[in-house]
Amino acid sequence: MTNTDYVVIVTFISSSLSTIGCLMMIMYYIYFPKERAAAHLFCLWLGISGLGLASTTFVIVDDVDNGDFLCVLFPVIEDYFILCTSFTAVVIANRVKKIVFQYEGCMSMSDSQLKTYFICVWVLPLILVLLPLTTGSYGRNDKDQYCFLKYDRDGQHQANVVAKLWILFTFYGPVSLSVGTIVVIYSQCVRQIKFLQVQHSKSTSPQFPVNC
């Protein structure tokens, strides 16, 4: 994998997550007008994480010969914003599920809920991306010349095992889990909406039964 290949993968992942987030926000905004204050907040979070991710990605492309400090800093920031984007999408999906299943009716977000969402979106990713620093696993890969969690694919030393575990635990694992959670939640929501539509098929109320 070259530096360009790495950027292509990161761009594909981040673009997919951003697309999912945008589609969810459009649906959220249309079907739940009383939740639009929360929708605005989630849009802001997606915008911040997307802008941060795009900025660090292009800096890495343009500055291949940056120093060791920058080669540690930029992967941390980039991975952080990827996780922020994916966790924001999960939070949106979770909020939609609570409304569709009427766990909370049409109540606005409480301060405690907002604090929980904030921790999930901004604090948890920070903890995850800082953990590899404890083993010095961020840096430049000598063979591929890109800055991320460094390991030698042809080597067998212990550092490779640690780096690969960090890659799974702090990047591929959380992103895959986020996407899987979103798919499961929205599948449940679709089934619930279809069930409610059948229940209210003879009603004069709108087809979407949740009055939010």
Side-chain angles (χ1 to χ4, degrees):
M1 180 186 292
T2 64
N3 187 56
T4 303
D5 294 332
Y6 167 70
V7 173
V8 169
I9 292 175
V10 171
T11 303
F12 175 78
I13 294 174
S14 59
S15 298
S16 300
L17 291 171
S18 298
T19 301
I20 293 173
C22 289
L23 292 176
M24 288 192 300
M25 289 310 306
I26 293 173
M27 186 201 72
Y28 193 84
Y29 197 85
I30 292 175
Y31 285 109
F32 310 121
K34 293 185 179 179
E35 284 278 320
R36 286 179 180 175
H40 294 158
L41 177 63
F42 294 148
C43 278
L44 176 62
W45 288 359
L46 283 173
I48 293 174
S49 58
L51 180 61
L53 176 60
S55 300
T56 53
T57 299
F58 285 111
V59 167
I60 291 175
V61 174
D62 294 334
D63 193 12
V64 177
D65 296 325
N66 52 31
D68 292 338
F69 173 74
L70 293 180
C71 202
V72 172
L73 178 63
F74 285 129
V76 171
I77 297 175
E78 186 175 42
D79 194 7
Y80 173 69
F81 283 121
I82 289 177
L83 295 182
C84 288
T85 302
S86 59
F87 288 3
T88 301
V90 173
V91 165
I92 296 171
N94 180 68
R95 187 67 186 171
V96 171
K97 180 180 178 180
K98 288 184 177 181
I99 297 173
V100 171
F101 285 84
Q102 300 189 22
Y103 294 152
E104 299 174 0
C106 301
M107 296 173 60
S108 300
M109 281 192 301
S110 64
D111 291 340
S112 61
Q113 288 174 327
L114 181 58
K115 185 181 297 184
T116 300
Y117 291 153
F118 181 86
I119 292 174
C120 291
V121 171
W122 300 107
V123 179
L124 181 58
L126 181 61
I127 295 174
L128 289 176
V129 300
L130 291 180
L131 287 176
L133 291 175
T134 61
T135 57
S137 296
Y138 284 113
R140 185 185 303 281
N141 287 267
D142 294 333
K143 181 179 179 180
D144 302 317
Q145 292 298 303
Y146 70 93
C147 299
F148 193 50
L149 291 163
K150 55 184 179 181
Y151 65 93
D152 180 9
R153 289 171 176 78
D154 297 328
Q156 300 295 330
H157 50 81
Q158 186 176 1
N160 285 347
V161 177
V162 174
K164 291 177 181 179
L165 289 176
W166 282 133
I167 291 174
L168 291 175
F169 183 73
T170 66
F171 185 72
Y172 290 113
V175 171
S176 301
L177 185 61
S178 297
V179 174
T181 301
I182 292 169
V183 171
V184 171
I185 289 178
Y186 277 97
S187 298
Q188 294 174 342
C189 289
V190 169
R191 288 197 299 268
Q192 177 70 1
I193 291 172
K194 290 182 178 179
F195 171 77
L196 293 175
Q197 286 177 335
V198 171
Q199 293 293 316
H200 293 76
S201 59
K202 297 182 180 180
S203 173
T204 57
S205 61
Q207 289 234 326
F208 193 83
V210 182
N211 186 25
C212 291

